[in-house]
Amino acid sequence: HGYTRIPAWSERLAAAGYEIEAQARFSPTLRVLAALGLPAPRRESARAGLEIEDRAGSPLFSARPPPGYVEFADVPRVVADALVFVENRELLDRVHPRRNPALEWDRIAQAGGQLVRDTVGLGGPAAGGSTLATQIEKFRHSRGGVTSSPLEKLRQIGAASLRVYGRGPDTRPARRELVVDYLNSLPLAAVPGHGEVLGLREGLEAWYGADFDRTNELLRSLARSGPPSEAAVVAYVEALSLILATQRPTVYLVDRPDLLAARMASYLDLFARAGLISPELRDAASRARLVRRTGAAAARDRGLERKPASPVRSRLVELLGLGGYPELDALDLRVESTLDGPAQRRATEVLRGLRDPARAAAAGLTGFRLLRPGEGEGVVYSFALYERGEDANRLLVQTDNFDRALDVSEGAKLDLGSTAKLRTLVSYLDAMAALHDELAGRDPAELRALPIHPSDRLSRFARDALARRPGLELGAFLELAIDRRYSASPYETFFTGGGQHRFANFDRAHDRRIVTLREAFRDSINLPFVRLMRDLVDHLISRPPGTGRSVLENLSDPRREAYLARFADREARVFLRRFYARHRGANRDAMLARLVGARTPSAKRVALLLRTVDPEQPREAFDAEMRTRLGRRVPDDAQLAVLHEAYEPGRVGLADRGYLAGLHPLELWLVAYLAREPDASFEQVLEASAAERIEVYRWLFRSRRKSAQDTRIRTELEREAFTRLHAQWRDTGYPFEFLVPSYATAIGSSADRPAALAELVGILLDGGVRRSTHRITRLAFAEGTPYETRFAPAAQPPRAVIRREVAGAVRGAMGDVVLSGTARRAAGALSGPDGKPLRIGGKTGTGDHRFEVTGPGGRVIQSRAVSRTATFVFYAGDRLYGVVTAHVSGPAAGHYAFTSSLPVQLFRTLLPELAGLLSAAR
């Protein structure tokens, strides 16, 4: 149940921002017992397990076993008699009220004799030395649930004795409690689709699909006179089978049920002889056949039961460093969450229902740029809703209709398309605010005389705007910045990410427009944002003045060689990784065959490859292999001698060898290296290739190739700019460790996570302040035990990560998206307490992720769908914000044509209903 791990979890939780709110302390006596390895002498509950409450304190999830028997009087007599007869016949002895149920000398003697026989190698059948009391100790506190040594057996006896005498010398009440506790904690293996089974109640339900209360009614009827009913006999057989299976549950219930049947037949006869059951019941039970109904447990739709708590459960696994949900669910832990239970359950129910095309159509999800009639089953929807608070933000709803454990909002890396324009706009306005800080207040004449590089278009705009309008406030300046105009033309080739790229608008009607950034953001037009990202990168390269630009323009700048070396090493590593993946694990002949290729090779090429891959190959072996590979076209002996000498490694450099062979020189080097070191790791390849990686790019360092140098240096400067941009994105919640250094990042190529995008909107809604986002407000471990420890989030000071004016300008642009842009469907969807429509803002995005193969001139010759995603991230009023996503992965994505209109329509359908539940809860 996790009690022993609380000290380690205290450290993990402290690192994650939690602090101990309260903790029980051991008394001096309890410290002594703990030092002896004895648990606290208390009655332990058989119902420990994870419990999660919603923000109102109502149950949201429970992994605690269902309640079994509460007291001894609840146990049917035939069940108690069977258990005591099988496991511990002296347990309920009324003659000796002070009997210690943990200690039976005949059992100790049998176990001791078995130990002696095992020691001398005689073996023999093992006799059970455990009473019911010590068996419970073994199940709960012995490593692996087994008695590993005589000392461990003594520990079990001592612990059990302390418990039964804890309330006085009369142990009869404690002995009756042992029957109840044992029945409630029987270990009964695991059922597929259900998990571990503990206790008679759960065993009856999981293995036989039986109702516990109905079964007990039938079992009590056996105490009455008269022949037993068929239903009562079945109930008795099912209960008895589980009691008998406890000794070896996996063997009896899973592997060898025939052995369990034989054991039952034997005990039924013994019970009848002892007078515990009637001969009629014995005979009827002997004829009965057990019918397993494990499918009933497996077939239950546990999605609606578990999914509402998945945001909390997944976070707990991460916080506590656990191996998975089964380990988590076994903990004695109560969690108070921020989730709104009714809204969370309703959202889960709605999203799961959308798999039915009829229900999707009823929700308005079919139509132009939505789903086609009959579609819907393969779409994964996710929804998250947050509430802005004074001390921290709180997760109210987070769910999806994905059947697996992955939380789509937080765990998936998705191409969210044009929602990246939101992050790009924030970065752009942040840069413009910094320019306003630098230039505002200067004399107009001084501003006009300020030298600015022609490529730094952002600085030039800021200088000219402030020179024309001295004293312009930051807010007004940012509005001017959003109204800068850009071409939407797709007829331009951009050099970015180390290559030439062309981009397209989603709607070709925009291709000939020149629009403001506000319009491009509102209508989600791609090319203005591609050009904006280029301006932003050029600005970062130019700042501080004279840094990156000097490297490009000044041939004598000493940093040029460092940039070139960095580029050469980076590109060489990329090629080496590709070649290593191609040749790893192949032998010398197989690698050579790949290098030679399918076409008929020339004698010179084969000779070059052989002398490169195997430079120490003797002349005779060289001649023989040349004859084998070339057959009748092999040169005569004199020509072979010339080739052997001409391509001696020292005579021809690696780069020239690659040129002559028509291969990348690093592939030649790698094949030669792997021929000598076939088990080399990629790290060893990198270490061994340091000199060669520079050698093959030596041509690049020659000054007469300035154009080629500038192209590579520009690529490195662009990477540096994206590194600086990434730092700003990380400050506002971007979840990944790097950005793709390409202008395509402005339209989604760097991917995102829905929850991270929603966090950015929460920052904007809060005036640029980043606060902690809570989903767990308290973790209470081991309540009511000597190990009780409660944790709560430690106070975290808010941090301003975006200028207030920038946040306000972006919120205004998001409002335009809903009022008259791509999210018009969301307008007027929610009303405030006064009945007036709430101000809603958002940003849409559609990601159509494809694997494409291009031919000459950039022509696409093959296209394969990888995924399709549509997203709407939003705020509603001054308190709520969140994100809606629709996603299809795999080849099936190619059959869908929906856009961001789909999540916007889902927002319009779902959020008003949830808002009503949220208002009711508040």
Side-chain angles (χ1 to χ4, degrees):
H1 297 314
Y3 302 156
T4 62
R5 299 169 69 179
I6 290 174
W9 287 336
S10 299
E11 296 181 7
R12 288 186 65 95
L13 289 168
Y18 289 81
E19 60 185 5
I20 292 179
E21 182 183 62
Q23 189 169 42
R25 296 183 180 180
F26 278 16
S27 67
T29 303
L30 197 52
R31 287 179 182 273
V32 172
L33 294 177
L36 294 173
L38 299 175
R42 61 188 182 88
R43 187 183 183 190
E44 295 176 330
S45 172
R47 298 192 63 243
L50 176 67
E51 284 194 328
I52 301 174
E53 299 174 353
D54 69 6
R55 64 175 180 164
S58 300
L60 186 67
F61 173 85
S62 178
R64 297 191 173 184
Y69 298 113
V70 177
E71 55 187 23
F72 184 75
D74 299 331
V75 181
R77 181 174 176 178
V78 290
V79 172
D81 287 346
L83 174 65
V84 171
F85 187 90
V86 171
E87 296 290 351
N88 199 165
R89 298 181 189 180
E90 299 174 358
L91 180 67
L92 298 180
D93 171 28
R94 298 180 182 180
V95 177
H96 303 94
R98 299 187 178 190
R99 176 185 292 277
N100 183 354
L103 191 62
E104 293 186 6
W105 292 108
D106 54 345
R107 287 175 178 262
I108 296 294
Q110 286 180 330
Q114 181 63 47
L115 179 63
V116 171
R117 288 194 296 272
D118 290 342
T119 302
V120 299
L122 295 178
S130 296
T131 64
L132 220 59
T134 55
Q135 282 192 57
I136 292 175
E137 292 297 326
K138 178 172 63 176
F139 292 161
R140 293 179 176 173
H141 296 286
S142 295
R143 185 177 298 276
V146 297
T147 304
S148 57
S149 66
L151 185 61
E152 175 61 18
K153 174 57 67 178
L154 289 176
R155 190 204 64 76
Q156 294 168 7
I157 293 172
S161 299
L162 283 171
R163 292 188 204 281
V164 297
Y165 287 111
R167 286 172 290 178
D170 188 344
T171 63
R172 285 175 295 181
R175 283 185 270 158
R176 288 191 289 268
E177 288 174 355
L178 285 174
V179 172
V180 175
D181 291 347
Y182 191 86
L183 289 170
N184 286 339
S185 57
L186 298 174
L188 295 172
V191 172
H194 178 91
E196 184 181 28
V197 180
L198 295 173
L200 186 61
R201 176 177 189 143
E202 196 173 357
L204 288 167
E205 294 173 353
W207 284 106
Y208 300 116
D211 179 83
F212 182 67
D213 294 333
R214 173 61 178 159
T215 296
N216 280 294
E217 289 178 12
L218 292 169
L219 293 173
R220 292 188 186 96
S221 71
L222 295 174
R224 297 191 290 268
S225 60
S229 67
E230 182 179 349
V233 171
V234 171
Y236 181 70
V237 169
E238 290 174 346
L240 179 61
S241 72
L242 297 177
I243 292 172
L244 294 176
T246 304
Q247 187 182 69
R248 301 166 70 192
T250 303
V251 172
Y252 286 139
L253 294 172
V254 180
D255 299 333
R256 296 290 306 276
D258 57 310
L259 295 180
L260 178 61
R263 190 166 198 241
M264 286 183 62
S266 173
Y267 269 101
L268 285 171
D269 191 50
L270 290 173
F271 289 169
R273 291 181 193 174
L276 299 180
I277 60 174
S278 66
E280 293 82 5
L281 178 56
R282 176 198 59 195
D283 296 340
S286 299
R287 293 191 298 269
R289 292 292 176 265
L290 288 170
V291 179
R292 303 250 172 85
R293 295 184 179 87
T294 55
R300 272 189 311 176
D301 183 2
R302 302 177 72 91
L304 286 173
E305 174 188 338
R306 294 177 175 176
K307 199 67 178 182
S310 64
V312 177
R313 294 174 77 219
S314 61
R315 179 61 175 151
L316 287 169
V317 168
E318 177 187 355
L319 277 175
L320 303 178
L322 302 177
Y325 291 136
E327 188 178 356
L328 170 68
D329 291 347
L331 300 182
D332 187 358
L333 172 62
R334 183 179 63 84
V335 177
E336 298 174 16
S337 77
T338 64
L339 295 174
D340 187 286
Q344 178 79 345
R345 291 190 183 92
R346 180 56 183 156
T348 301
E349 181 183 351
V350 170
L351 295 189
R352 292 174 68 85
L354 295 178
R355 294 172 177 164
D356 180 355
R359 295 177 72 172
L365 301 185
T366 57
F368 179 62
R369 292 183 175 175
L370 302 170
L371 299 175
R372 301 184 186 95
E375 286 184 341
E377 183 177 356
V379 183
V380 174
Y381 298 97
S382 67
F383 176 77
L385 184 67
Y386 302 80
E387 180 181 43
R388 184 172 69 87
E390 293 299 325
D391 54 339
N393 298 332
R394 295 170 179 83
L395 178 66
L396 298 180
V397 178
Q398 182 172 298
T399 189
D400 55 61
N401 65 339
F402 194 47
D403 279 333
R404 300 179 188 174
L406 175 70
D407 189 304
V408 175
S409 291
E410 291 200 340
K413 183 176 184 178
L414 302 175
D415 178 357
L416 301 184
S418 289
T419 57
K421 292 169 185 165
L422 178 60
R423 293 196 185 275
T424 304
L425 184 62
V426 170
S427 297
Y428 163 63
L429 293 181
D430 184 70
M432 299 306 287
L435 285 170
H436 183 275
D437 292 344
E438 179 185 334
L439 302 176
R442 295 194 187 188
D443 183 77
E446 179 188 356
L447 287 173
R448 293 189 187 96
L450 194 65
I452 294 178
H453 194 280
S455 296
D456 189 2
R457 290 170 288 276
L458 302 190
S459 294
R460 193 165 69 249
F461 170 83
R463 178 196 64 185
D464 295 346
L466 293 171
R468 286 193 305 268
R469 297 175 60 179
L472 187 65
E473 295 293 334
L474 176 58
F477 174 75
L478 294 176
E479 294 301 320
L480 282 179
I482 297 180
D483 287 328
R484 286 181 66 225
R485 303 181 75 81
Y486 280 92
S487 169
S489 170
Y491 309 112
E492 179 182 357
T493 299
F494 297 85
F495 184 83
T496 181
Q500 293 184 331
H501 299 271
R502 298 284 290 270
F503 301 98
N505 294 311
F506 179 76
D507 188 343
R508 291 184 179 181
H510 298 305
D511 287 358
R512 299 187 181 278
R513 295 179 64 192
I514 296 177
V515 297
T516 65
L517 284 174
R518 190 186 308 276
E519 292 169 325
F521 187 80
R522 181 193 68 199
D523 297 331
S524 206
I525 309 173
N526 287 342
L527 268 298
F529 271 85
V530 172
R531 293 183 168 96
L532 174 63
M533 182 60 83
R534 177 174 61 184
D535 283 358
L536 188 55
V537 168
D538 284 339
H539 173 70
L540 293 172
I541 289 174
S542 302
R543 307 292 291 182
T547 50
R549 292 297 164 193
S550 173
V551 176
L552 283 172
E553 296 167 0
N554 184 359
L555 195 59
S556 62
D557 192 312
R559 293 172 296 169
R560 288 180 67 87
E561 185 165 345
Y563 275 105
L564 291 173
R566 188 190 307 170
F567 171 85
D569 185 66
R570 188 190 309 279
E571 186 172 275
R573 287 169 181 260
V574 171
F575 280 114
L576 276 173
R577 188 177 294 277
R578 184 186 307 166
F579 300 144
Y580 182 76
R582 180 183 303 170
H583 296 292
R584 181 185 183 185
N587 59 32
R588 171 190 177 277
D589 289 342
M591 291 190 290
L592 269 172
R594 289 173 186 163
L595 295 184
V596 170
R599 293 181 299 175
T600 303
S602 67
K604 290 182 178 180
R605 189 165 187 268
V606 174
L608 174 66
L609 293 174
L610 290 177
R611 295 293 279 145
T612 301
V613 172
D614 197 354
E616 303 300 327
Q617 187 179 39
R619 167 70 193 283
E620 294 77 11
F622 170 80
D623 289 355
E625 190 163 1
M626 289 288 287
R627 292 188 182 97
T628 301
R629 293 187 178 277
L630 294 172
R632 289 180 299 175
R633 294 177 297 101
V634 66
D636 58 29
D637 290 348
Q639 289 176 307
L640 287 175
V642 170
L643 290 173
H644 187 272
E645 183 178 358
Y647 294 124
E648 185 179 346
R651 289 175 175 262
V652 184
L654 182 59
D656 291 335
R657 285 174 177 273
Y659 175 77
L660 292 172
L663 296 167
H664 196 291
L666 286 176
E667 185 170 17
L668 286 178
W669 175 88
L670 178 68
V671 168
Y673 178 77
L674 290 179
R676 299 189 308 272
E677 303 288 344
D679 298 324
S681 66
F682 185 68
E683 289 70 24
Q684 290 172 317
V685 168
L686 288 179
E687 183 178 353
S689 64
E692 285 75 12
R693 295 202 303 270
I694 296 300
E695 178 186 343
V696 297
Y697 286 92
R698 188 65 60 189
W699 62 271
L700 188 58
F701 291 81
R702 297 167 187 162
S703 60
R704 67 175 181 271
R705 294 183 176 269
K706 183 177 183 302
S707 176
Q709 290 180 348
D710 287 349
T711 299
R712 274 74 177 179
I713 291 173
R714 165 74 194 193
T715 298
E716 289 304 305
L717 291 172
E718 185 179 68
R719 295 184 73 93
E720 285 186 350
F722 273 97
T723 298
R724 293 168 63 184
L725 186 64
H726 175 257
Q728 194 263 344
W729 282 32
R730 289 284 281 181
D731 271 349
T732 56
Y734 184 71
F736 304 121
E737 293 301 323
F738 67 91
L739 294 175
V740 176
S742 164
Y743 302 155
T745 283
I747 55 176
S749 68
S750 287
D752 214 326
R753 284 193 172 126
L757 198 62
E759 183 178 15
L760 172 59
V761 175
I763 293 170
L764 296 171
L765 193 60
D766 207 1
V769 175
R770 187 177 185 183
R771 302 181 191 275
S772 300
T773 299
H774 291 167
R775 70 190 61 198
I776 296 171
T777 55
R778 180 170 287 106
L779 297 97
F781 289 91
E783 286 186 299
T785 77
Y787 316 103
E788 181 171 354
T789 307
R790 296 197 299 270
F791 296 88
Q796 300 288 339
R799 185 165 59 95
V801 294
I802 301 175
R803 298 281 288 272
R804 176 172 292 276
E805 294 83 355
V806 170
V810 176
R811 285 200 311 274
M814 293 174 70
D816 292 341
V817 171
V818 172
L819 286 176
S820 55
T822 55
R824 288 187 295 273
R825 292 172 184 267
L830 289 175
S831 298
D834 57 1
K836 295 181 180 179
L838 283 180
R839 170 76 166 174
I840 299 174
K843 183 69 189 84
T844 60
T846 303
D848 184 16
H849 189 193
R850 291 178 173 271
F851 176 81
E852 294 185 339
V853 178
T854 56
R859 181 173 58 90
V860 177
I861 59 178
Q862 180 183 344
S863 179
R864 172 169 54 84
V866 175
S867 66
R868 189 172 187 87
T869 307
T871 307
F872 177 50
V873 62
F874 62 87
Y875 66 80
D878 59 359
R879 186 174 65 89
L880 298 177
Y881 63 96
V883 62
V884 190
T885 303
H887 175 71
V888 181
S889 62
H895 303 303
Y896 288 85
F898 61 79
T899 69
S900 56
S901 297
L902 183 62
V904 175
Q905 177 60 34
L906 181 55
F907 167 90
R908 184 172 186 87
T909 301
L910 180 61
L911 203 64
E913 184 174 349
L914 299 186
L917 293 172
L918 293 170
S919 299
R922 292 175 66 84

